[in-house]
Amino acid sequence: MSRRWACLIGQPVAHSLSPLLHNAAFAAVGLEAHYEAHEVAPDRLAEAVAGLRQADCLGANVTAPHKQSVVSLLDSVSEEARTLGAVNTIINQDGRLHGDNTDARGLARWMSEAGMEVLGRSALVLGAGGAARAVVLALARLGAARVQVLNRNQARAAALVDDLAPRLAATSLLTGPLELASRPAGEPWPIVVNTTSAGDYGRGPVVHMSWYSPASVAIELAYHPPETVFMRAARQAGARAENGLGMLVHQAALAFECWTGRQAPLDVYLKAAQLPVRA
Ligand code: NDP
């Protein structure tokens, strides 16, 4: 077979790290394949997805704004993607396209590897978009006792919780307005995750310093710039703060495994993202 390929489908994609990560991994395992980012407008999505059925295509990653709309163009989707209502990875199985979502598994793997203790703890999730669903699922799977979702649009937070609560019986799910985070908290929370896209635009939801203690970890899902307004405020309040690069690397490594059936070279992904490689 000729050289294989995979791609990212989204708009915009110019700043994506995915080509760098996956091309490094393909080269490291000796796979004759390359990965490119494709800028795809919503009215060209069906055409772009049809192109993935070619024999030499391994599959694709999907990013905003297509993660939800792509579902109806696929032949099958995993239980995970159905639960999240979104696909971030497409696998070409001999011309049939299968959708999966590696965001929640990627976040859970990274949090475990980075020593973030979730079991029996409370977590605050800011935002209620597609990424927030994956975050709530990951936190519940890691055994969070309570997850509170705060969003500007409260109906969206309520819909997220109504959808996920029946599947996550062991975790208590609550909602509230985003402004709640800017007011003093009764006690510090161990985990605060910013899933709003405000960080992408150099802004951040305001979190009152009383939500944090030195034992807290604040996670920003965005990773550009490396330290966002939300992360800086958390550090000033004494908390550990991390951006979304670790999650990006782990969800990418899981996508590699979906496409190739091989174990991903995680150290290669970490090095390409300039993250420390653990011994
Ligand atoms: P969505 O568009 O689905 O959701 C956006 C969320 O951000 C909504 O809750 C929205 O609130 C909120 N929001 C947007 N602007 C503001 C603002 N100015 N102030 C407060 N809230 C705001 O996006 P996604 O959930 O798909 O992505 C969210 C973030 O996560 C992005 O930065 C994305 O890059 C990042 N991400 C990172 C990944 C990784 O691997 N590291 C993986 C996936 C996503 P409302 O509902 O009220 O409009």
Side-chain angles (χ1 to χ4, degrees):
M1 177 167 310
S2 59
R3 200 163 184 236
R4 312 292 302 269
W5 60 278
C7 65
L8 172 67
I9 293 175
Q11 188 181 46
V13 294
H15 298 293
S16 171
L17 281 180
S18 295
L20 178 77
L21 302 183
H22 289 304
N23 284 322
F26 291 156
V29 301
L31 190 67
E32 279 285 308
H34 72 284
Y35 184 104
E36 282 176 13
H38 292 169
E39 183 98 18
V40 176
D43 63 348
R44 309 300 293 267
L45 180 62
E47 190 188 330
V49 170
L52 304 176
R53 297 181 190 275
Q54 295 168 39
D56 52 359
C57 176
L58 292 164
N61 287 129
V62 184
T63 189
H66 306 313
K67 280 179 161 183
Q68 285 85 16
S69 49
V70 79
V71 172
S72 64
L73 300 170
L74 305 176
D75 300 304
S76 59
V77 294
S78 66
E79 183 62 34
E80 180 99 347
R82 204 169 291 288
T83 299
L84 295 172
V87 159
N88 79 340
T89 303
I90 298 173
I91 304 121
N92 179 18
Q93 299 168 333
D94 300 323
R96 283 182 56 80
L97 298 181
H98 179 71
D100 198 356
N101 195 313
T102 61
D103 279 341
R105 285 168 0 244
L107 177 64
R109 271 205 200 179
W110 169 60
M111 289 185 78
S112 303
E113 191 169 280
M116 298 174 193
E117 191 55 60
V118 179
L119 188 65
R121 298 198 159 161
S122 297
L124 190 67
V125 175
L126 309 175
R133 285 180 180 251
V135 169
V136 171
L137 190 60
L139 291 167
R141 284 194 182 140
L142 290 170
R146 176 175 57 151
V147 177
Q148 183 159 15
V149 180
L150 306 184
N151 200 39
R152 262 186 335 195
N153 175 344
Q154 279 200 73
R156 204 172 178 194
L160 183 160
V161 163
D162 286 350
D163 263 12
L164 292 183
R167 300 165 218 253
L168 308 176
T171 302
S172 153
L173 298 182
L174 310 159
T175 62
L178 188 62
E179 305 86 76
L180 197 63
S182 64
R183 300 191 211 126
E187 56 181 354
W189 281 46
I191 301 152
V192 180
V193 187
N194 179 26
T195 79
T196 73
S197 40
D200 288 343
Y201 307 101
R203 299 192 298 266
V206 178
V207 180
H208 193 274
M209 62 185 297
S210 57
W211 287 89
Y212 297 117
S213 77
S216 305
V217 57
I219 300 171
E220 169 80 78
L221 250 50
Y223 50 85
H224 187 77
E227 185 187 65
T228 60
V229 172
F230 165 82
M231 291 168 63
R232 199 172 317 125
R235 283 178 179 149
Q236 281 165 0
R240 170 181 176 187
E242 302 281 353
N243 65 31
L245 210 46
M247 173 179 172
L248 179 84
V249 159
H250 281 271
Q251 65 77 27
L254 287 162
F256 174 101
E257 290 175 6
C258 291
W259 296 326
T260 66
R262 304 189 197 185
Q263 192 174 357
L266 189 59
D267 54 338
V268 174
Y269 278 97
L270 290 166
K271 267 190 213 146
Q274 299 187 334
L275 288 173
V277 178
R278 273 163 242 279

